[in-house]
Amino acid sequence: MSAAAASSIGAANTALVKDPTLQLKSFNGLRNNTCYSSAYSLLLDRRISSYTVPASIRAVSTPVKETSVETKRSKVEIFKEQSNYIRYPLNEELLTDAPNINEAATQLIKFHGSYQQYNRDERGARSYSFMLRTKNPCGKVSNQLYLAMDDLADQFGIGTLRLTTRQTFQLHGVIKKDLKTVMSTIIRNMGSTLGACGDLNRNVLAPAAPFVRKDYLFAQETADNIAALLTPQSGFYYDMWVDGEQFMTAEPPEVVKARNDNSHGTNFPDSAEPIYGTQFLPRKFKVAVTVTTDNSVDLFTNDIGVVVVSDDNGEPRGFNIYVGGGMGRTHRMETTFPRLADPLGYVPKEDILYAVKAIVVTQRENGRRDDRRYSRMKYLIDSWGIEKFRSVVEQYYGKKFEPARELPEWEFKSHLGWHEQGDGRLFCGLHVDSGRVKGITKKTLREIIEKYNLNVRITPNQNIVLCDIRPSWKRPITVALAQGGLLPPTYVDPLNITAMACPALPLCPLAITEAERGIPNLLKRVRGVFEKVGLPYNESIVVRVTGCPNGCARPYMAELGLVGDGPNSYQIWLGGTPAQTSLARTFMNKVKIQDLEKVFEPLFYSWRVKRKSKESFGDFINRVGFEKLEEIVGKWEGVPKSSSRYYLKLFTDKETYEAVDALARVENKSAHQLAIEVIRNFAASQQNGKSQ
């Protein structure tokens, strides 16, 4: 380290010591003083020898604790406690000439919204870089921020933007020396990456559709308020990236009131982090807010799912709350599993922030901190049961939950295509394969968003919505989108519309096999099997692919989930449903990528010939059962020739289908209906001896 750098660090340390709000605090309720790593402790002792460590801080009331026995903590818990609220040693590591940062800093930078990565396709010395993830409650992205992110991708990234399944951007390929420039640019353009990763509340989901309707507006306002409530307060983010300059907008008074309220022992008194303390949460925490029927947010996969409940006049009155969802698991470790959220109860609308805070505190106080594989709230609820969990949350909430209200059936809504917002303007939802904005698509979106000064939203299905479009702009925007390859959803293969994949290789260190790079070919192969067994082009299923079992693209909710299970191998999950209300189950392990058709063919053929009217693939799987399906796959000898005796392969290519479909819609028919009519008329004319 240079002398100048060392001097700078020394000055920073002195400043921290003088600022009592930034002093290290102990949290004895969650640790044993003797379990530190000795080497790390010596380093820390030298580093903070002049610090005054105040008395230990604990929640005022912890009625849920069953035992006072101290337990082992994971290494990450120690890193967090010794970090001076997520500052040290990251602040020092960023100043070194090395292209990477050390283990402790690698864990801490996640709280700032970044992961350290390296290119796994390259051999030899590792080429380190950083992925940055933004935090955009409801997926809202201002015009200014979108243009800034587009520029940053070209100037400091790999030339692409990634739309994520949590309605955020990911920017890949930023090298360490550019981190502060990129971070500060995002902050100064109305953006943030604070809490996009790390052991705290992640981005809060809400339907991306900008409908000017009471329920949608209230859901989005609630998502914004929950995000604000659970945002870290100790200033480490702004200290690190903009030298302490504050860029926060004024918070609603109800958010400030709920955060500061300690009437039921939820807060750490006099702490820089009143809700999180020095240890933050045991693991990542996810929240989604939506309206009845709209399950575009995969509600039941979240730690907390919040649903706006309105009266007969459409006026929001309160919320149903669901708890304990989560996707992550480990292969062949049955003690880890994906889980759907359970109904917790109903609260009036004025209580939602207090209820959410009580749930978060229950997890903070009781979630496991010894083994990160079991640190999500789903494991706490699975261990306790929902009744005990509810009773403990009620102690922090200060009230009893009312019974959850009955709701109508859920539906996945893509919000693609053109729609009226309800205020005289339009929005246009655009499909983006795997959320990767690149090439001509990136250029086209930039030109349209800049020319018309549009705000945008990112959907939980990795797509993008252009908002606030004047009706007179619809035609020129449609033409420009088509020229850039961004077609209306009717011209996109239905399989692609609902498909999702995680980035996986080459940058994700956890990936076992391909996902984003492999899904285009996988979807073509699924379509090929559809054609082979006689399923029409407009038929579809929900396909999701991940490179490892962590489940970032939520494969365990798919009708067909492919989860990386070894080099060029996938674990096959079946049984999710189109509305994303059922959990899939493991059907087969370690299926080589070249052998997938041996499983797909018998499953899709059986679905075609044995399905009930309009029965989805997932519902068919669940009705027939795995035992019967395994028997069918095991005895499969190929598509029976007799099955295609009267089956006409009407469309051999996508272009032909699209041309016929365009003509058919004029007559309010499907492409297949029109094609069959043409064929029948042609056959009849030949039989009657008529000339063409």
Side-chain angles (χ1 to χ4, degrees), residues 327-338 373-374 379 510-514 545-551 555-556 561-573 585-591:
M327 293 284 97
R329 50 176 288 278
T330 301
H331 279 319
R332 283 162 288 282
M333 185 175 286
E334 299 302 318
T335 52
T336 66
F337 45 81
R373 284 174 297 188
Y374 305 104
Y379 294 112
L510 301 177
I512 303 170
T513 191
E514 299 284 2
V545 185
T546 60
C548 83
N550 280 358
Y556 310 118
L562 300 177
V563 181
D565 193 17
N568 298 313
S569 298
Y570 292 98
Q571 190 177 67
I572 296 178
W573 286 66
R585 292 173 291 141
T586 310
F587 183 66
M588 296 185 74
N589 294 302
K590 290 189 175 297
V591 179

Side-chain angles (χ1 to χ4, degrees), residues 482-506:
Q483 291 173 343
L486 288 158
L487 301 175
T490 53
Y491 291 95
V492 179
D493 189 321
L495 285 170
N496 291 59
I497 292 291
T498 55
M500 290 201 296
C502 69
L505 298 171

Side-chain angles (χ1 to χ4, degrees), residues 3-138:
S7 175
S8 175
I9 292 170
N13 291 347
T14 302
L16 287 172
V17 171
K18 290 180 179 179
D19 187 347
T21 68
L22 302 181
Q23 291 176 352
L24 278 173
K25 296 179 171 63
S26 63
F27 185 73
N28 294 331
L30 290 176
R31 70 174 176 88
N32 185 326
N33 289 333
T34 63
C35 70
Y36 285 173
S37 160
S38 58
Y40 201 92
S41 296
L42 288 172
L43 174 63
L44 186 68
D45 289 343
R46 288 195 295 270
R47 175 83 174 77
I48 61 170
S49 58
S50 59
Y51 277 65
T52 301
V53 181
S56 56
I57 293 174
R58 307 183 66 150
V60 172
S61 173
T62 55
V64 301
K65 293 291 187 183
E66 293 185 331
T67 175
S68 60
V69 176
E70 302 286 358
T71 59
K72 177 184 176 183
R73 293 183 303 154
S74 70
K75 187 184 297 185
V76 176
E77 289 298 311
I78 298 171
F79 290 157
K80 287 187 289 186
E81 184 178 56
Q82 298 176 344
S83 70
N84 187 26
Y85 291 108
I86 319 300
R87 292 176 173 85
Y88 173 79
L90 178 60
N91 51 357
E92 293 187 352
E93 287 291 301
L94 291 173
L95 297 175
T96 69
D97 294 330
N100 61 319
I101 55 180
N102 67 17
E103 182 183 6
T106 299
Q107 293 296 330
L108 298 180
I109 201 170
K110 296 176 184 179
F111 290 75
H112 297 258
S114 179
Y115 281 88
Q116 179 172 268
Q117 300 179 329
Y118 64 92
N119 190 335
R120 294 172 61 186
D121 283 348
E122 295 179 357
R123 296 295 176 261
R126 291 181 176 180
S127 299
Y128 286 99
S129 66
F130 292 81
M131 178 271 282
L132 274 63
R133 183 184 296 154
T134 59
K135 199 170 185 182
N136 311 90
C138 315

Side-chain angles (χ1 to χ4, degrees), residues 309 317-321 344-348 400-405:
V309 178
R317 294 300 181 190
F319 301 90
N320 273 6
I321 300 178
L344 184 69
Y346 170 90
V347 298
K400 294 286 187 180
F401 288 100
E402 298 178 38
R405 303 299 194 254

Side-chain angles (χ1 to χ4, degrees), residues 391-443:
S391 69
V392 172
V393 172
E394 286 172 344
Q395 295 179 62
Y396 289 119
Y397 175 37
K399 298 180 181 179
K400 294 286 187 180
F401 288 100
E402 298 178 38
R405 303 299 194 254
E406 289 291 326
L407 300 179
E409 292 293 319
W410 290 102
E411 177 186 347
F412 168 72
K413 298 186 179 183
S414 70
H415 300 303
L416 298 181
W418 287 93
H419 303 269
E420 293 183 359
Q421 291 184 173
D423 59 356
R425 299 211 172 191
L426 309 173
F427 73 86
C428 182
L430 300 168
H431 171 72
V432 180
D433 282 335
S434 296
R436 183 67 65 178
V437 182
K438 60 183 179 181
I440 186 64
T441 295
K442 182 173 179 293
K443 181 175 183 294

